[in-house]
């Protein structure tokens, strides 16, 4: 399309602009056109169209073409409105007004013509023309033997409407405003908005137009012609060509940022490549009672194959059983009958904390040392799905354990973590979680939503969880977690999680996704 | 109100205009799942009043009646269906519409939460004056049970009643608990009047009305401890309105099998001695013993200083959530205020390390994206059909590796996927409007059965890429594989090679196995047109899918 336009312009410039009088704006020698170039207000494209008897659109094209050649001329856009004849108005100019046509169809003399015959003879002009002609006193109605007839009352008429419209079309009119208004009501004329240009001489004004090179070529360089050739200016007001590139997934770009933050804070990554977990590690080890609602069919995916876990550290299992059923390590326990079969049931892990439990157990077996762990990986919930919930999502989890660390350390590390995500204002609400005590929900102030939103959960692991593993009694262990999807959706303004994750992902969104800079909002 | 709730750890969800005929506003509050004492308005109001130091915690008491103690005899027949019952009586209760509503509401909430939809515990509250003690808790053949159930006009035999309630949306969810048992549990009085058919329905005879003065509460259960918690929670609400405020009349339960008698409700206070320094160290604050004792009292835990740096904490029967000292320390922290604790960073310097498999994955992702492929992120769960029929793979072979989910809500979650290819083809299908070619990849875990692991399954990290266009452009996918091998410093032909293979997923003659140092790690080729049709894709596609864990 662009090429076609350019071609037209070039033809116009050559054929019309220069050959006809419009070269006046580029040729000083012709005194009749000198005024356009010296006049400080420039010249309107409309005026040029009139004077050169050329279609205005062609003039505009020519001006644009001159502009594209550099700064030969300057053009400023202007809008104005003018009156224009409608199709009906034009037809009147050509054939005469309706009333004149009707008048002509009535024969002179007393005999006149029956109304139906007149209507037949004058067609579309008949009805309106008759009433206008009667109004003007040109015709009169008489009844004769039950027949309505029209006869002339004057011998000749002047078709003022036609005359006025002719003048208006030429633009030489002295027709009064109220008459014009009447024509507008009769839909003979309409007002149109015209975009025109005021053209002035530009800084690089010249009267000769040279063919410009579109691009540097090896030939131009070899011949040295590039030194003298003029080059067509680039249009910098358009986008470049989209490149064929690959992209990383937006959610996983956010995951990389989270990973970097954890690494900067000294956290080591846990091996979380284990989607299928036993209820023992997913729940029992974490002191989640066997009748807890989270272990319900409605919340957790159980496996039918492989349905059961075959091995659990036996001594550890005994300690877990005891602390659940009758209490131990200073705990009352949950006081219920703990069943091994429940613990052996395989599940799709409902949280990565199952892996944290394995890591802490391992840490206790290998000899405790202060540790910080993190993981970001998939977890599964057999939940009802909606615009923000899927059956699988990514959990981000951080764990810190050391001797004699305090709740203040947990608050501190969470604050630092969220600060690095670009969230400065954080507050904590007491909450309940079966495996942490104290437990806290983390709220962040969202300046866009102007409210506090829940962004994560946290707490100190219960002694009933740590001590059966063999973690020393003075060691405390902090954990916090959040989903990866939620902050990503908030950050990029995505309302439906399916646009972000899963096969229904919006690939255009993936293509357009910016760098992940969490601290930039 | 918002601030008080937030600090106390309950969530003020919303404030709405009360529904007529009530006036004023209604507070919608979310409470922690283990605080059964806060499941009624009275409980929340009392706890907040104590928290704000407007009053002290109530002194709950169980007294033995001067006359005959109310007794319930438990017959051995109950052992097979619902073995436990606990009972209590609250007398001279000033029953108002407000209390009545609160009572019903609390009962509902307890049934739903701690009672696990009545499976563990079921509650019955009765007008004591309409009954003739002692009571009998037995298990009886359904056809031998006949009574007029609550709010019904006629008597039903129990098995008819179970049929009748099939149509009752409120009660239907509980029928399964006893439906197929040979004997149904039954609480009745000495004249044979039925109090309840737990956990389904009470009898109409003893129903509580606004005229009721004296109340009898029974909780039948499969979990005795939870039954006691539930009973305690119920009598705390009722005894607040008794003329002996906060006091409950003891009742006796005698088991036929053991001849043992127990007094209920337990309403037991328990004491814990808390080390002030230990508590300070846990929370990260430094407050004196008397201050700590006072702040614990605000949380409803009456506490007193006990010598140097020790406080005695009295845990009331309303606080069954406190099972360890750490629960008390949480109350110290809440009372002190989380916002008043000074945040600090844990002192230990630790050296961080990335997981090696994840690091390799992330480096390969960069390389593949740089090669012009776009990363997809698809689901780990899928249907059996996605893995078998749609890929033209025989089901009996695939079943040997696929982990199956027992309780999927839809067939999209039947199995944990073993292949990344279906996810990528679904992504193509959903993005058909995009400009061709579509070049997609994913590096993710799939699951395979493996009897060598404790759970019987393990994750396998795989790399899959596809080129989808008007031509299959196998050379592009082949080139991508070569590129990946090149950056892994795996040399051709010494370390890896392709061998022609027959695989139903691929077009005949257009498939090869990738062998890495003699091990088959995956395949590449041009997809079979039927596979593309099965995923509703109408262009051509070449694909590669290999395991990457051997490159570690």
């Amino acid at each position: 399309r662009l090429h076609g336009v350019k071609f037209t312009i070039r033809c116009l410039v050559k054929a019309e602009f220069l050959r006809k009088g419009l070269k006046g704006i580029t040729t000083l020698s012709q005194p009749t056109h000198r005024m356009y170039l010296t006049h400080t207000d420039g010249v309107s494209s409309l005026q040029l169209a009139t004077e050169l008897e050329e279609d205005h659109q062609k003039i505009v094209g020519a001006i644009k073409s001159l502009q594209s050649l550099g700064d030969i001329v300057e053009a400023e856009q202007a809008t104005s409105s003018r009156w224009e004849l409608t199709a009906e108005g034009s037809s009147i100019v050509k054939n005469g007004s309706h009333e004149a046509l009707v008048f002509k169809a009535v024969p002179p003399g007393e005999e006149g013509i029956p109304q139906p015959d007149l209507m037949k003879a004058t067609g579309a002009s008949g009805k309106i023309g008759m009433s206008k002609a009667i109004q003007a006193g040109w015709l009169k109605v008489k009844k004769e033997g039950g027949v309505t007839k029209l006869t002339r009352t004057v011998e000749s008429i002047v078709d003022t409407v036609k005359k006025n419209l002719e003048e208006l079309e030429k633009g030489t009119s002295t027709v009064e405003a109220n008459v014009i208004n009447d024509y507008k009501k009769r839909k003979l004329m309409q007002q149109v908005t015209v975009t025109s240009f005021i053209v002035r001489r530009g800084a690089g004004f010249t009267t000769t137009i040279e063919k410009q090179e579109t691009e540097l070529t090896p030939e131009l360089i070899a011949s040295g012609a590039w030194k003298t050739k003029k080059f067509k200016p680039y249009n910098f007001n358009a986008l470049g060509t989209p490149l064929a590139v690959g992209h990383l997934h937006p959610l996983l770009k956010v995951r990389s940022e989270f990973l970097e933050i954890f690494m900067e804070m000294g956290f080591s990554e846990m091996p979380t490549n284990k989607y299928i977990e036993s209820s023992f590690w997913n729940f029992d080890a974490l002191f989640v009672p066997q009748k807890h609602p989270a272990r319900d069919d409605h919340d957790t995916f159980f496996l039918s194959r492989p349905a059961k876990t075959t091995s659990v550290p036996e001594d550890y299992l005994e300690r877990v059983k005891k602390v659940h059923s009758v209490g131990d390590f200073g705990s009352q326990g949950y006081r219920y009958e703990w069943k091994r079969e429940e613990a052996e049931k395989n599940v799709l892990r409902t949280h990565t904390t199952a892996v944290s439990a394995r890591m802490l157990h391992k840490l206790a077996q290998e000899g405790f040392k202060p540790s910080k762990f993190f993981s970001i990986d998939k977890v599964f919930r057999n939940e009802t799905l909606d615009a923000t919930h899927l059956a699988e999502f990514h959990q981000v989890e951080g764990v810190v354990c050391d001797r004699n660390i305090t709740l203040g350390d947990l608050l501190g590390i969470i604050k630092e973590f969220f600060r690095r995500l670009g969230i400065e204002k954080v507050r904590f609400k007491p909450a309940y979680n079966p495996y942490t005590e104290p437990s806290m929900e983390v709220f962040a102030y969202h300046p866009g939503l102007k409210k506090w939103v829940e962004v994560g959960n946290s707490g100190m692991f219960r002694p009933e969880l740590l001590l059966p593993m063999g973690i020393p009694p003075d060691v405390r262990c902090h954990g916090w977690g959040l989903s990866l999807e939620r902050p990503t959706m908030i950050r990029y303004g995505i309302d439906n999680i399916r646009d972000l994750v899963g096969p229904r992902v919006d690939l255009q969104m993936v293509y357009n996704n910016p760098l992940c800079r969490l601290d930039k909002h | 109100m918002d601030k008080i709730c937030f600090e106390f750890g309950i969530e003020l969800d919303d404030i709405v205009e009360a529904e007529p005929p009530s006036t004023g506003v209604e507070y919608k509050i979310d409470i922690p799942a283990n605080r059964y004492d806060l499941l009624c308005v009275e409980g929340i109001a009392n706890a907040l009043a104590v928290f704000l130091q407007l009053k002290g915690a109530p002194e709950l008491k169980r007294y033995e009646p001067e006359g005959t103690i109310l007794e319930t005899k438990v017959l051995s027949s109950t052992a097979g269906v619902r073995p436990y019952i606990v009972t209590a009586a609250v007398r001279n209760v000033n029953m108002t519409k407000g209390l009545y509503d609160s009572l019903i509401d609390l009962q509902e909430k307890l049934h739903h939460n701690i009672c696990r939809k009545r499976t563990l515990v079921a509650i019955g509250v009765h007008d004591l004056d309409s009954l003739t003690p002692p009571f009998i808790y037995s298990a009886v053949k359904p056809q031998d049970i006949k009574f007029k159930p609550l709010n019904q006009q006629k008597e039903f035999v129990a098995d008819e009643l179970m049929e009748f309630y099939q149509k009752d949306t409120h009660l239907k969810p509980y029928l399964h608990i006893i439906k197929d048992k040979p004997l149904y549990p039954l609480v009745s009085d000495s004249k044979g009047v039925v109090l309840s058919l737990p956990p389904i329905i009470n009898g109409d005879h003893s129903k509580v009305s606004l005229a009721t003065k004296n109340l009898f509460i029974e909780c039948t259960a499969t979990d005795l401890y939870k039954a006691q918690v539930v009973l305690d929670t119920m009598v705390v609400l009722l005894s607040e309105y008794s003329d002996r405020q906060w006091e409950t009349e003891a009742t006796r339960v005698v088991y036929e099998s053991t001849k043992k008698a127990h007094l209920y409700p337990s309403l037991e206070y328990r004491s814990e001695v808390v080390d002030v320094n230990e508590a300070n160290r846990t929370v990260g604050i430094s407050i004196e013993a008397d201050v700590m004792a006072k702040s614990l009292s605000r949380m409803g835990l009456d506490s007193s200083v006990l010598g140097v740096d020790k406080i005695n904490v009295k845990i009331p029967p309303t606080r069954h959530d406190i099972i360890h000292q750490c629960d008390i320390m949480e109350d110290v922290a809440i009372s002190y205020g989380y916002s008043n604790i000074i945040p600090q960073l844990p002192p230990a310097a630790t050296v961080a390390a990335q997981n090696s498999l994840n690091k390799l994955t992330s480096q390969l992702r960069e390389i593949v994206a740089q090669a012009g492929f776009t990363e997809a992120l698809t689901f780990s769960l899928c249907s059996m059909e996605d893995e078998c029929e749609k890929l033209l793979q025989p089901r009996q072979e695939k079943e040997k590796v696929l982990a199956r989910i027992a309780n999927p809500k839809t067939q999209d979650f039947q199995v944990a996927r073993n292949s990344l290819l279906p996810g990528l083809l679904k992504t193509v299908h959903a993005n058909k409007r995009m400009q061709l070619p579509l070049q997609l990849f994913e590096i993710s875990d799939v699951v395979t059965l493996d009897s060598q692991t404790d759970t019987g399954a393990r994750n396998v990290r795989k790399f899959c890429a596809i080129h989808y266009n008007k031509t299959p452009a196998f050379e592009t996918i082949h080139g991508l594989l070569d590129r990946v091998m090149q950056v892994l410093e795996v040399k051709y032909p010494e370390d890896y090679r392709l061998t022609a293979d027959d695989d139903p997923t691929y077009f005949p003659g257009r498939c090869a196995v990738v062998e890495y140092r003699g091990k088959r790690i995956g395949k590449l080729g041009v997809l079979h047109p039927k596979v593309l049709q099965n995923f509703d894709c109408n262009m051509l596609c070449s694909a590669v899918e290999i395991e990457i864990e051997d490159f570690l």
Side-chain angles (χ1 to χ4, degrees):
Chain A
R1 203 179 72 89
L2 212 67
H3 279 104
V5 172
K6 279 184 183 162
F7 177 74
T8 315
I9 289 169
R10 199 169 306 138
C11 292
L12 256 178
V13 169
K14 280 195 173 161
E16 306 294 333
F17 233 75
L18 296 174
R19 190 172 51 75
K20 280 194 173 180
L22 217 154
K23 67 183 171 193
I25 65 165
T26 57
T27 311
L28 285 159
S29 59
Q30 292 192 358
T32 46
H33 298 299
R34 188 182 299 247
M35 52 177 284
Y36 302 143
L37 299 158
T38 51
H39 198 292
T40 48
D41 290 336
V43 57
S44 156
S45 55
L46 288 170
Q47 197 182 340
L48 287 170
T50 315
E51 288 190 10
L52 297 166
E53 292 170 3
E54 194 51 84
D55 181 62
H56 183 243
Q57 275 315 308
K58 285 190 176 174
I59 299 293
V60 170
I63 290 167
K64 291 225 162 131
S65 169
L66 278 179
Q67 273 187 297
S68 76
L69 297 174
D71 48 3
I72 296 174
V73 293
E74 284 173 4
E76 181 190 336
Q77 191 174 319
T79 54
S80 60
S81 63
R82 67 181 167 82
W83 289 98
E84 200 178 81
L85 297 190
T86 61
E88 195 180 345
S90 299
S91 148
I92 287 174
V93 168
K94 205 170 145 202
N95 308 314
S97 68
H98 303 301
E99 48 269 46
L101 292 174
V102 169
F103 181 81
K104 262 188 226 163
V106 176
E110 284 301 303
E111 187 51 30
I113 181 171
Q115 192 184 356
D117 295 353
L118 178 63
M119 289 295 116
K120 210 181 277 173
T122 51
S125 299
K127 211 175 167 190
I128 171 110
M130 188 176 84
S131 80
K132 288 278 170 192
I134 294 169
Q135 215 179 325
W138 298 348
L139 299 174
K140 70 172 183 207
V141 183
K142 69 172 181 184
K143 290 209 171 177
E144 216 176 67
V147 182
T148 309
K149 283 188 163 185
L150 288 119
T151 54
R152 288 190 180 185
T153 52
V154 290
E155 281 181 17
S156 65
I157 53 149
V158 179
D159 192 348
T160 326
V161 175
K162 180 182 173 186
K163 212 177 100 215
N164 283 348
L165 288 177
E166 273 168 359
E167 283 180 17
L168 283 164
E169 191 181 31
K170 279 187 201 137
T172 54
S173 157
T174 50
V175 183
E176 307 232 335
N178 61 335
V179 177
I180 293 181
N181 238 334
D182 184 46
Y183 292 165
K184 184 188 167 193
K185 273 186 208 149
R186 288 178 66 179
K187 301 216 166 90
L188 304 180
M189 300 192 68
Q190 64 192 0
Q191 202 164 24
V192 291
T193 307
V194 185
T195 302
S196 59
F197 291 89
I198 310 291
V199 194
R200 292 189 196 87
R201 189 176 162 159
F205 183 77
T206 170
T207 57
T208 47
I209 295 168
E210 191 189 351
K211 180 179 175 280
Q212 295 177 313
E213 295 295 330
T214 45
E215 206 49 277
L216 263 178
T217 62
E219 291 76 23
L220 286 177
I221 292 171
S223 67
W226 62 270
K227 290 176 199 158
T228 51
K229 287 280 182 189
K230 288 231 161 140
F231 290 88
K232 203 169 180 321
Y234 278 169
N235 176 14
F236 294 111
N237 296 317
L239 294 176
T241 307
L243 303 180
V245 294
H247 311 81
L248 293 176
H249 192 277
L251 187 77
L252 300 183
K253 292 195 313 199
V254 177
R255 183 178 71 178
S256 301
E257 283 306 299
F258 274 71
L259 175 133
E260 208 157 286
I261 291 169
F262 275 118
M263 298 290 283
E264 285 167 0
M265 290 174 71
F267 284 70
S268 288
E269 193 175 20
M270 292 187 266
T272 44
N273 52 338
K274 192 171 178 61
Y275 293 162
I276 295 181
E277 191 51 277
S278 62
S279 288
F280 181 80
W281 287 107
N282 195 75
F283 295 122
D284 295 283
L286 293 169
F287 200 51
V288 179
Q290 294 189 329
K291 288 286 183 190
H292 192 276
R295 301 179 73 153
D296 205 279
D297 262 16
H298 299 292
D299 284 353
T300 298
F301 287 114
F302 288 89
L303 273 293
S304 58
R305 187 188 153 104
K308 273 177 65 175
T309 277
T310 49
S311 88
V312 176
E314 284 303 323
D315 53 334
Y316 175 48
L317 178 136
E318 284 306 319
R319 293 194 293 273
V320 168
K321 176 181 178 177
K322 187 175 178 202
V323 76
H324 274 250
S325 51
V326 295
D328 200 356
F329 305 105
S331 174
Q332 305 287 310
Y334 290 124
R335 299 190 237 182
Y336 71 103
E337 193 190 336
W338 188 88
K339 293 192 177 111
R340 188 188 180 105
E341 308 87 83
E342 278 298 322
E344 283 174 346
K345 283 183 183 169
N346 278 335
V347 297
L348 282 172
R349 68 167 175 228
T350 61
H351 46 195
T352 49
T353 320
V355 178
S356 308
R358 284 180 182 268
M359 291 300 285
L360 290 170
H361 181 254
K362 186 163 163 253
L363 185 66
Q365 307 315 301
E366 291 175 352
F368 178 80
K369 62 173 195 285
S371 303
K372 290 186 210 149
F373 300 122
F374 83 95
S375 64
I376 310 168
D377 210 341
K378 276 187 181 176
V379 297
F380 305 85
R381 306 274 170 92
N382 196 7
E383 283 178 332
T384 312
L385 314 181
D386 59 31
T388 53
H389 292 86
L390 292 173
E392 51 189 86
F393 64 93
H394 288 76
Q395 184 187 340
V396 179
E397 179 170 359
V399 174
V400 181
C401 49
D402 197 0
R403 294 177 198 276
N404 295 316
I405 48 173
T406 72
L407 188 60
D409 291 304
L410 177 58
L411 303 183
I413 201 133
I414 292 175
K415 281 201 162 192
E416 179 61 26
F417 177 79
F418 280 98
R419 197 180 64 75
R420 282 160 188 257
L421 295 179
I423 297 169
E424 297 283 346
K425 280 164 92 175
V426 171
R427 67 175 185 170
F428 300 90
K429 184 175 94 71
Y432 168 68
N433 181 337
Y435 51 90
T436 54
E437 190 79 5
S439 307
M440 303 177 297
E441 278 166 6
V442 187
F443 283 75
Y445 188 74
H446 192 290
L449 303 173
K450 290 199 169 53
K451 64 172 185 181
W452 291 91
V453 292
E454 194 196 327
V455 290
N457 265 295
S458 66
M460 294 170 71
F461 286 119
R462 294 191 70 101
E464 291 100 323
L465 183 163
L466 299 174
L467 298 175
M469 289 176 171
I471 297 273
D474 59 343
V475 169
R476 294 198 191 84
C477 187
H478 299 339
W480 79 97
L482 58 152
S483 91
L484 186 63
E485 282 80 352
R486 194 171 147 77
T488 305
M489 288 171 73
I490 293 175
R491 175 66 181 78
Y492 295 121
I494 297 167
D495 298 326
N496 189 338
I497 194 164
R498 287 173 181 79
D499 291 338
L500 176 67
V501 191
R504 276 153 65 189
V505 66
D506 177 358
L507 277 183
Q508 194 61 52
M509 179 277 295
V510 176
Y511 291 177
N512 296 345
N513 185 255
L515 292 180
C516 177
R517 295 190 291 176
L518 297 173
D519 52 344
K520 296 258 178 202
H521 283 280
Chain B
M1 185 66 184
D2 197 12
K3 184 167 177 283
I4 298 164
C5 288
F6 193 92
E7 285 172 355
F8 185 67
I10 57 182
E11 199 168 330
L12 183 57
D13 237 13
D14 206 0
I15 304 173
V16 295
E17 291 287 327
E19 277 175 34
S22 307
T23 52
V25 291
E26 215 168 74
Y27 293 93
K28 293 200 181 293
I29 293 174
D30 257 8
I31 65 148
N34 62 341
R35 288 296 298 269
Y36 311 114
D37 58 313
L38 303 181
L39 282 174
C40 58
V41 178
E42 288 79 0
I44 295 176
N46 280 324
L48 286 180
V50 174
F51 183 62
L52 296 172
Q53 292 169 287
L54 301 174
K55 64 177 185 184
E59 194 77 40
L60 302 165
K61 220 175 112 181
R62 177 182 80 190
Y63 66 89
E64 295 198 20
E66 285 165 20
T68 331
I69 191 161
L70 295 172
E71 187 177 288
T72 305
K73 190 171 182 187
V74 184
L75 302 190
S76 313
S77 52
T78 57
V81 51
R82 205 170 178 83
Y84 308 109
I85 185 167
V86 294
T87 59
V90 183
R91 292 192 189 266
N92 295 315
V93 172
N94 176 22
M95 185 61 77
T96 59
K97 180 75 173 60
L99 173 60
Y100 181 84
D101 291 346
S102 206
L103 178 70
I104 301 295
D105 191 46
L106 174 63
Q107 198 176 329
E108 274 298 301
K109 290 195 168 111
L110 288 170
H111 272 154
H112 199 78
N113 290 290
I114 182 174
C115 305
R116 305 288 294 127
K117 297 186 179 130
R118 305 194 191 180
T119 53
L120 303 183
V121 188
I123 311 161
V125 183
H126 309 275
D127 185 339
L128 179 55
D129 298 326
S130 72
L131 297 165
T132 319
F135 306 103
I136 296 166
Y137 179 45
S138 56
V140 183
K141 279 189 196 154
Q143 55 271 34
D144 296 343
I145 301 171
K146 191 176 183 189
F147 69 109
K148 188 163 109 183
L150 189 65
N151 299 331
Q152 292 300 329
Q153 301 309 315
K154 58 163 192 147
E155 294 197 335
F156 285 83
V157 177
D159 44 7
E160 290 169 16
L161 189 61
M162 298 295 273
E163 264 325 297
F164 179 72
Y165 282 143
Q166 279 296 339
K167 290 191 263 331
D168 186 313
T169 49
H170 177 64
L171 293 177
K172 194 182 171 205
Y174 310 119
L175 301 180
H176 73 96
I177 304 172
I178 56 166
K179 191 159 195 311
D180 297 326
K181 303 274 182 188
L183 304 177
Y184 286 180
L186 192 71
V187 186
S188 46
D189 74 357
S190 60
K191 288 192 169 164
V193 171
V194 171
L195 279 73
S196 65
L197 173 69
I200 312 298
I201 190 81
N202 285 354
D204 194 64
H205 179 92
S206 57
K207 87 172 161 197
V208 174
S209 71
L210 292 185
T212 304
K213 276 251 140 280
N214 301 312
L215 293 131
F216 180 68
I217 306 112
E218 41 92 4
C219 300
T220 54
T222 53
D223 182 323
L224 179 59
Y225 175 67
K226 287 206 166 67
Q228 292 182 56
V229 173
V230 169
L231 184 66
D232 282 357
T233 309
M234 291 295 290
V235 301
V236 169
L237 168 66
L238 288 170
S239 67
E240 182 174 355
Y241 295 91
S242 155
D243 64 354
R244 297 174 71 164
Q245 204 187 20
W246 305 122
E247 293 187 11
T248 304
E249 182 175 308
T251 60
R252 189 190 297 144
V253 174
V254 184
Y255 284 86
E256 182 192 46
S257 54
T258 58
K259 304 276 180 278
K260 274 195 182 147
H262 308 265
L263 286 190
Y264 295 111
S266 47
L267 282 182
E268 229 168 16
Y269 279 82
R270 187 164 68 78
S271 282
E272 286 266 4
V273 175
V274 171
D275 184 312
V276 174
N277 293 327
E278 177 73 9
N280 274 328
R281 265 205 305 279
T282 303
V283 180
I285 55 174
S286 173
I287 55 176
E288 299 293 327
D290 56 334
V291 179
M292 194 176 286
K294 248 186 225 144
S295 59
L296 280 171
S297 300
R298 281 181 67 199
M299 299 306 294
L301 305 174
D302 243 342
S303 305
S304 49
V305 178
L306 196 78
V308 186
D309 294 336
K310 293 258 189 290
I311 41 183
N312 186 56
V313 182
K314 210 166 123 195
I315 298 148
T318 44
R319 295 296 306 273
H320 287 283
D321 59 300
I322 294 188
I323 58 176
H324 192 276
Q325 291 219 355
C326 68
D327 298 304
I328 299 172
M329 289 172 194
E330 177 180 58
D331 278 4
V332 171
I334 292 172
S335 180
Y336 188 83
Y338 286 176
S339 53
N340 298 324
I341 300 169
I342 296 164
Q344 58 186 37
L345 285 178
T350 48
V351 177
Q354 200 183 339
N355 175 275
S356 53
L357 180 59
N358 290 355
K359 174 144 190 169
L360 174 68
T361 301
S362 140
Q363 287 175 327
L364 284 181
R365 286 171 53 233
E366 296 274 350
I367 287 294
V368 179
Q370 282 160 11
F373 284 72
T374 293
E375 187 172 33
L377 178 59
T378 61
F379 296 138
S380 297
L381 307 182
C382 64
S383 69
M384 200 71 181
E385 194 194 6
D386 286 341
E387 283 281 349
C388 305
E389 287 76 14
K390 283 193 172 178
L391 291 182
L392 308 176
Q393 295 288 334
R395 204 172 256 235
Q396 65 272 26
E397 282 305 307
K398 275 302 231 181
E399 274 183 349
K400 290 177 191 159
V401 295
L402 285 171
R404 297 202 65 156
I405 291 159
N407 57 332
K409 279 183 186 146
T410 75
Q411 64 171 14
D412 291 338
F413 311 131
Q414 285 175 326
V415 295
R417 68 172 165 192
N418 186 249
S419 163
L420 298 175
L421 186 57
L424 292 188
L425 291 175
K426 285 180 186 177
T427 309
V428 166
H429 171 65
N431 286 279
K432 278 202 254 178
R433 67 198 154 79
M434 302 298 292
Q435 205 182 350
L436 292 174
L438 278 177
Q439 301 200 115
L440 302 178
F441 80 99
E442 181 165 6
I443 307 183
S444 261
D445 279 347
V446 302
V447 176
T448 186
L449 297 182
D450 181 354
S451 57
Q452 301 300 303
T453 65
D454 59 347
T455 54
R458 69 179 158 85
N459 284 20
V460 177
R461 185 87 25 115
K462 280 192 173 182
F463 158 57
C464 182
I466 58 169
H467 174 91
Y468 177 79
N469 204 354
K470 288 175 188 156
T471 63
F474 173 75
E475 66 283 1
T476 306
I477 283 299
H478 190 182
L480 179 67
L481 175 73
D482 291 339
R483 171 68 185 149
V484 167
M485 292 300 192
Q486 184 194 18
V487 296
L488 288 168
E489 299 179 83
V490 175
K491 293 196 171 47
Y492 182 83
E494 305 92 290
D495 295 327
Y496 80 101
R497 62 194 180 102
L498 308 184
T499 320
D501 192 59
D502 279 331
D503 185 301
T505 302
Y506 296 89
F507 196 59
R510 296 277 185 278
C511 170
V513 167
V514 184
E515 275 180 45
Y516 168 63
R517 292 182 185 158
K519 182 186 169 186
R520 294 157 73 98
I521 57 166
K523 285 175 186 170
L524 79 170
V526 176
L527 292 186
H528 199 285
K530 279 191 195 157
V531 170
L532 289 164
Q533 270 169 21
N534 290 341
F535 287 93
D536 204 6
C537 297
N538 41 16
M539 292 288 149
L540 299 161
C541 186
S542 51
V544 59
E545 179 157 6
I546 56 168
E547 297 177 9
I548 62 162
E549 287 178 31
D550 290 307
F551 301 120
L552 272 179

